[in-house]
Amino acid sequence: MPNISRDEVAHLARLARLAVTEDELDTFAGQLDVILQSVARVGEVAAEDIPPTSHAVPLTNVFREDLVRPGLTQQQALAGAPAAEDGRFRVPRILGEEA
């Protein structure tokens, strides 16, 4: 069973550049020990005959197949535009204006 010491917690805190108090060292040591024990317990349960999974339930692709379809021509796309210029949508200038 893992047992993390105050020195190890202090070392981890220094690596993470965390300022911790003496009281926090004791608190974190206990919390990290519980976490490490939980991880070790999960490792004991994992067996070679159980395949690794990425999801708890099987996933099914619900998307339709990609189909190539004709798109709009430039003239068709610009037909409904309030303003067009040089084959592009014309929009009001907003840069440089005060909000």
Side-chain angles (χ1 to χ4, degrees), residues 45-53:
V45 174
E48 291 180 17
D49 59 336
I50 301 173
T53 57

Side-chain angles (χ1 to χ4, degrees), residues 1-98:
M1 289 209 312
N3 195 3
I4 190 162
S5 69
R6 293 179 85 246
D7 291 337
E8 290 170 317
V9 173
H11 179 68
L12 288 172
R14 276 192 302 277
L15 291 175
R17 297 178 188 223
L18 298 173
V20 292
T21 64
E22 293 297 317
D23 292 336
E24 289 174 326
L25 285 176
D26 292 327
T27 302
F28 293 156
Q31 291 174 346
L32 286 171
D33 196 47
V34 169
I35 292 169
L36 291 174
Q37 287 176 10
S38 298
V39 170
R41 213 172 350 182
V42 169
E44 292 170 4
V45 174
E48 291 180 17
D49 59 336
I50 301 173
T53 57
S54 61
H55 291 61
V57 295
L59 296 180
T60 305
N61 186 358
V62 295
F63 299 113
R64 64 170 170 73
E65 291 292 322
D66 287 335
L67 300 173
V68 177
R69 296 187 293 187
L72 297 175
T73 65
Q74 185 179 30
Q75 290 77 23
Q76 290 170 327
L78 294 173
E85 184 178 300
D86 296 328
R88 291 176 272 179
F89 294 102
R90 179 169 173 76
V91 295
R93 178 181 296 263
I94 58 169
L95 298 176
E97 293 181 4
E98 302 243 349

